[in-house]
Amino acid sequence: MTTRLLAHSPYHPVRPGLLPPRARAITRAARRVLRANWCGGSTVPSRGLYPHQWSWDSAFIAIGQRHLDPARARRELRTLFAAQWSDGRVPHIVFHPDVPLGAYFPSPDFWRSSHHGAGRGAPSAAETSGIVQPPVHALAAWLVHRADPEGSAAEGFLAGLHPALLAWQNYLTGPRDLGGGGLAAIVHPWESGMDNSPAWDRPLARITPANPRGFRRADLDHGAADDRPTDLDYGRYVRLAADYRDRDYDDATAPHPFAVEDPGLNALLIASEHALGDIADALGLDGAAHRAGARRRTGALVDRLWNPHTGLFHPRDLVGERLLPERGAAGLLPLIAPDLPAQAVTELRRTLAGPHFGLGTSTRLVPSHDLLGPAFDPSRYWRGPAWFNVNWLVERGLRLHGAEREARDLRTAAVTAAAGSGFAEYLDPHTLAAHGTREFGWTAALTVDLLATDAQTTDGHRAAGVPHTAAGHPAVLRRGGGSRTVPDGATAGDDGTAAGTS
């Protein structure tokens, strides 16, 4: 098994001196953030505002951490999946027991996972939330493995995590296919990861908010009120979560007044299916079924969520059975699907550069919402600011489809903005003013990854983790418009050399 893993995943470290001095300095600063946020088994997004482990944060953090400390990146993912429920769901928060209950809301005593989630297989040894976040994890696991295949094989990393990744995928494609059309549904805005997006305003309007006297928001202790969701929105979030909890987190019996097929989550579900195919191949299994499943899901994504009039994917409200009209950044994320039809790729690139997102003209980073929309707010949580994980995903999608010039410009802008903002949580897309918390985990981690990607692309090798065609060639080469590629999961230390564990 070890021989196969090493043969399948060649290791191409960044050569000494490849990273320029400025990039090495930024990498050192990002490393300091990740070390400061490390809690012994996982990384908190920030010490004050987010003092627990978050699901997709940990996946993005592992993707960047693989360049600095592959063993720690592997541990990050294993720690998260240790709290997986037996029905396959990966909870969006795993609570640290030593953090006071008042430090974050909703806290463990709100979710009561070990009690209300017992029927769904919630762990008894850890308290978690009962909802999920987008499935970046299989992609993260594959990239982490490729960064250090020898260490990964020695730890049995892929073989150990593979059953859990399959269960997670099966949960989303089974119980969460609420619309029956081959796509996963979210049952709470937080499950999209883009919690406060204006796209959710219409389906949320039918939710009666919880009594504000029944809970205390801890987020306002650490963030400006103008940057955060309103009390009305928060009341609706609490109502939805409480009702789902009171139905014991049972997808089959809960009424789901909020049920939406989100293009961002489903784009990552497709990317995960491709990554699971690569993982299966590396383990001596057959990955063809995963790739076939990804193609089917890509077809469902286009059939159910594509709007040719806007050149964008839109969420589908399953209660009203209609596409939601707001233009959000989640609609751009299907760029990471390698089998996306060429016409859709062309239209998404046009939309990205057009007036609604303005990339390369009015903005240097992708905003989270339509610049021209009436709900656009450049500073309020997910209602317009630029987020680094969204920009990382868009950059990856552009590279995948051969748009190297746009990807390079986006990498440069993201790295510069991250370093200049103190690794802020999010930025005003026009001014790049920092908002939210600082020293944010995935901002630091993804900055490291973008720096490594830039160095590797300049070096002219194949892209790390880019899906392959059946013939074994990088899929980017069959897309036209760009043959420059980057190497398999390389690692870069603070000095630009290959890095081991620290």
Side-chain angles (χ1 to χ4, degrees):
M1 182 63 72
T2 300
T3 301
R4 178 176 176 82
L5 286 172
L6 295 177
H8 189 82
S9 303
Y11 177 45
H12 301 291
V14 173
R15 294 201 299 271
L18 195 58
L19 293 176
R22 175 61 174 158
R24 293 198 295 271
I26 294 172
T27 301
R28 284 195 295 271
R31 184 198 287 264
R32 286 193 292 271
V33 171
L34 294 173
R35 283 177 169 169
N37 291 1
W38 176 250
C39 292
S42 64
T43 309
V44 297
S46 72
R47 286 286 181 177
L49 186 54
Y50 306 105
H52 301 285
Q53 183 178 24
W54 262 259
S55 172
W56 75 331
D57 290 73
S58 276
F60 287 123
I61 287 166
I63 287 169
Q65 187 70 267
R66 68 190 169 116
H67 301 288
L68 306 174
D69 189 337
R72 184 169 286 186
R74 295 191 293 268
R75 188 173 182 186
E76 181 87 39
L77 293 173
R78 284 198 303 264
T79 299
L80 177 67
F81 276 86
Q84 184 178 27
W85 295 24
S86 63
D87 67 359
R89 83 182 73 194
V90 177
H92 95 297
I93 304 174
V94 181
F95 293 104
H96 292 306
D98 55 343
V99 174
L101 289 178
Y104 182 81
F105 179 83
S107 50
D109 59 340
F110 171 87
W111 297 100
R112 302 197 286 274
S113 62
S114 58
H115 173 69
H116 283 281
R120 311 267 67 80
S124 58
E127 291 297 327
T128 75
S129 66
I131 60 174
V132 302
Q133 279 185 325
V136 196
H137 312 88
L139 174 61
W142 179 237
L143 293 177
V144 166
H145 162 73
R146 290 172 75 87
D148 178 21
E150 290 185 352
S152 174
E155 291 181 7
F157 172 68
L158 282 186
L161 203 58
H162 183 239
L165 291 169
L166 282 179
W168 174 215
Q169 195 81 355
N170 290 337
Y171 170 72
L172 291 172
T173 58
R176 281 304 188 90
D177 183 4
L178 299 178
L183 299 180
I186 60 173
V187 300
H188 194 292
W190 291 341
E191 294 195 314
S192 71
M194 302 185 184
D195 307 0
N196 198 36
S197 169
W200 315 136
D201 289 354
R202 293 172 193 257
L204 278 175
R206 57 180 174 254
I207 307 302
T208 301
N211 188 333
R213 292 189 294 273
F215 61 91
R216 178 186 174 276
R217 294 178 59 178
D219 60 317
L220 298 181
D221 295 341
H222 304 282
D226 288 345
D227 289 357
R228 305 295 300 168
T230 65
D231 286 343
L232 176 61
D233 287 332
Y234 225 88
R236 287 169 169 153
Y237 303 151
V238 171
R239 170 68 68 190
L240 278 172
D243 288 351
Y244 190 40
R245 175 201 64 202
D246 293 344
R247 290 297 187 112
D248 294 330
Y249 305 111
D250 186 349
D251 292 308
T253 63
H256 299 313
F258 181 100
V260 175
E261 292 174 346
D262 173 47
L265 183 142
N266 280 284
L268 286 164
L269 193 65
I270 291 166
S272 293
E273 201 79 80
H274 280 287
L276 283 168
D278 289 333
I279 291 169
D281 289 345
L283 293 172
L285 306 170
D286 183 7
H290 288 294
R291 284 182 276 275
R295 288 191 294 272
R296 288 194 303 273
R297 239 172 291 288
T298 301
L301 187 76
V302 173
D303 290 343
R304 293 181 64 80
L305 306 187
W306 175 249
N307 185 339
H309 302 294
T310 61
L312 193 68
F313 289 88
H314 289 253
R316 177 174 291 276
D317 179 7
L318 294 176
V319 177
E321 197 50 50
R322 60 175 180 171
L323 291 183
L324 296 169
E326 289 76 16
R327 293 173 167 93
L332 300 166
L333 298 191
L335 279 169
I336 64 172
D339 297 310
L340 200 64
Q343 184 60 38
V345 172
T346 299
E347 290 297 322
L348 284 173
R349 289 175 63 183
R350 185 176 294 125
T351 299
L352 188 59
H356 295 283
F357 293 94
L359 188 65
T361 53
S362 60
T363 67
R364 293 192 65 209
L365 295 177
V366 183
S368 53
H369 188 64
D370 178 8
L371 297 170
L372 305 181
F376 173 78
D377 186 326
S379 62
R380 195 178 291 278
Y381 201 64
W382 289 111
R383 299 184 76 82
W387 288 74
F388 289 93
N389 64 332
V390 168
N391 281 268
W392 183 89
L393 288 166
V394 170
E395 188 276 341
R396 184 175 183 83
L398 290 170
R399 271 190 298 123
L400 174 63
H401 293 289
E404 176 52 40
R405 180 184 60 79
E406 294 101 315
R408 183 184 64 243
D409 290 347
L410 187 52
R411 284 197 302 275
T412 300
V415 167
T416 303
S421 69
F423 302 102
E425 186 179 3
Y426 46 92
L427 306 175
D428 182 314
H430 291 303
T431 67
L432 301 185
H435 292 277
T437 190
R438 308 300 190 271
E439 298 186 341
F440 193 66
W442 77 31
T443 304
L446 295 178
T447 298
V448 172
D449 190 70
L450 290 171
L451 284 168
T453 298
D454 201 49
Q456 294 157 3
T457 302
T458 302
D459 199 32
H461 290 82
R462 181 165 60 81
V466 168
H468 286 53
T469 66
H473 302 294
V476 70
L477 298 182
R478 58 179 178 165
R479 296 291 170 184
S483 60
R484 180 183 297 180
T485 50
V486 300
D488 297 320
T491 68
D494 284 352
D495 57 358
T497 62
T501 58
S502 59

